Amino acid sequence: MSRIGNKLKAGFFATPPMQGEYLKQLLHVEGSGAWLDPTCGEGAILHQISAPFQSDDCTITTYGVELDKGRAAKAKEVLHRCINAPIESMVIQNNAVSLLFLNPPYDHTLGDDVTERKEWIELFRGTRYLKEHGLLIYIIPSYRFADSKIARHLATQFYHIGIMRFSDEDYPDYRQCIFIGNKKAGRHKEFNKELYEFLLQMESEEFVQKNVNSITDFVRANHKWRVPSGVVELKTFYSKLMNKSDLVEGIKNSKGFQAFLNRSSVRQLQIGGNPILPLNVG
């Protein structure tokens, strides 16, 4: 398998459906809006947590981006919009998304010089798509929260924080934790030193087991996070890379291509009718 093929397979772990069942119980959806998963896989989890809130009075438009062609095809069946492209190629409206779901690949960026962990890159990139007070759901391995860049970003950009482990059905297999928080408003944001220091200690599995509660504890305590209303349709959501299949279809359906086919087609000989020239001249 090629290097890029290995990258596509590496680090893809879909969020277990049981965790989706718990997550949707933590949401207080205030109205219509656009929800985005920029590394959506097959789109199942975003569909799972958004579908219960769809109604005549609440329209949630789900957007996804997925690099793998097969997974993107499945995501298109359950999400309103899904583009098969690298997230790096996408142009997405900033400060517009009401809910951002992030379960990024556990891998490094494709680069020959300086590489970055994707958990950090997608968090940094995705935050700008999220509107003020919009909700972030961020799922990564527990020890990755101890990365100083991730910890500082979360402690600076978000408020009304919740940090929780997967429930006991899935945590032993996945060792993943969930960060939930609303995006702060304004340009100057206060740094939460206590949260930062807490996250740095999550490198220790012993610390996580002792100090990070299960998501089921938050559900039983009836904790809720607000998802604000917002725009239903994103003004910009496209890839700068051309999709070859879309390009082929566009050419096939163009008037210019049809005119070319008509001009280049073999003309059939027709017998009968009047001669082109008088017979004596011929």
Side-chain angles (χ1 to χ4, degrees):
M1 184 179 289
S2 69
R3 178 169 177 262
I4 292 180
N6 282 319
K7 291 286 185 180
L8 287 174
K9 296 294 183 183
F12 173 71
F13 299 101
T15 304
M18 180 60 69
Q19 307 312 309
E21 289 300 309
Y22 293 132
L23 277 171
K24 65 186 182 184
Q25 296 180 60
L26 300 178
L27 303 182
H28 172 63
V29 180
E30 297 181 337
S32 301
W35 293 18
L36 169 67
D37 184 345
T39 54
C40 70
E42 297 178 354
I45 185 65
L46 187 60
H47 173 72
Q48 181 183 7
I49 65 174
S50 63
F53 301 103
Q54 299 277 12
S55 69
D56 293 338
D57 299 323
C58 181
T59 300
I60 298 170
T61 309
T62 50
Y63 290 84
V65 182
E66 174 55 40
L67 178 59
D68 181 78
K69 186 176 180 180
R71 294 195 289 262
K74 293 183 178 180
K76 289 178 181 180
E77 297 176 1
V78 296
L79 302 182
H80 294 100
R81 291 284 309 280
C82 178
I83 293 181
N84 174 210
I87 183 59
E88 295 84 359
S89 74
M90 291 297 298
V91 180
I92 302 175
Q93 182 180 351
N94 291 337
N95 304 309
V97 173
S98 294
L99 183 145
L100 177 68
F101 186 91
L102 276 182
N103 182 6
Y106 315 136
D107 198 6
H108 289 82
T109 55
L110 286 170
D112 296 325
D113 299 325
V114 179
T115 61
E116 291 273 13
R117 291 284 302 192
K118 288 187 178 179
E119 298 99 324
W120 157 244
I121 289 294
E122 299 312 328
L123 173 63
F124 181 77
R125 189 201 322 273
T127 300
R128 67 173 178 256
Y129 305 142
L130 196 60
K131 65 175 296 179
E132 291 184 344
H133 308 295
L135 187 68
L136 168 70
I137 300 176
Y138 182 49
I139 302 177
I140 56 175
S142 56
Y143 74 94
R144 290 294 298 143
F145 282 100
D147 181 284
S148 60
K149 287 188 291 188
I150 292 175
R152 182 169 293 277
H153 186 85
L154 296 175
T156 304
Q157 299 291 333
F158 297 92
Y159 71 96
H160 190 207
I161 303 300
I163 304 170
M164 57 202 75
R165 292 183 284 110
F166 273 11
S167 63
D168 292 340
E169 297 98 329
D170 292 313
Y171 185 76
D173 294 329
Y174 289 82
R175 301 288 177 180
Q176 290 178 314
C177 286
I178 306 167
F179 176 98
I180 303 182
N182 294 94
K183 183 180 176 181
K184 292 179 180 177
R187 297 182 62 183
H188 303 288
K189 301 175 177 65
E190 184 179 352
F191 175 64
N192 187 335
K193 183 179 179 182
E194 182 179 357
L195 173 61
Y196 176 73
E197 293 178 347
F198 182 92
L199 293 172
L200 292 183
Q201 297 180 76
M202 289 181 64
E203 187 173 18
S204 165
E205 179 60 27
E206 182 180 355
F207 177 87
V208 172
Q209 292 283 357
K210 184 177 179 181
N211 296 282
V212 179
N213 290 336
S214 167
I215 188 173
T216 54
D217 296 327
F218 286 84
V219 171
R220 283 193 291 265
N222 199 31
H223 281 285
K224 296 287 184 181
W225 276 266
R226 61 184 289 258
V227 183
S229 59
V231 299
V232 176
E233 299 288 338
L234 298 180
K235 293 180 180 178
T236 52
F237 185 75
Y238 64 89
S239 171
K240 291 179 285 187
L241 299 179
M242 291 296 295
N243 187 305
K244 289 188 290 185
S245 60
D246 293 340
L247 192 61
V248 169
E249 288 302 313
I251 292 173
K252 285 182 178 179
N253 297 325
S254 69
K255 293 181 179 179
F257 185 66
Q258 293 302 321
F260 168 76
L261 290 178
N262 292 334
R263 289 196 301 268
S264 59
S265 60
V266 178
R267 297 184 182 277
Q268 293 185 353
L269 178 64
Q270 294 183 348
I271 300 177
N274 296 322
I276 297 176
L277 296 173
L279 291 177
N280 58 345
V281 176

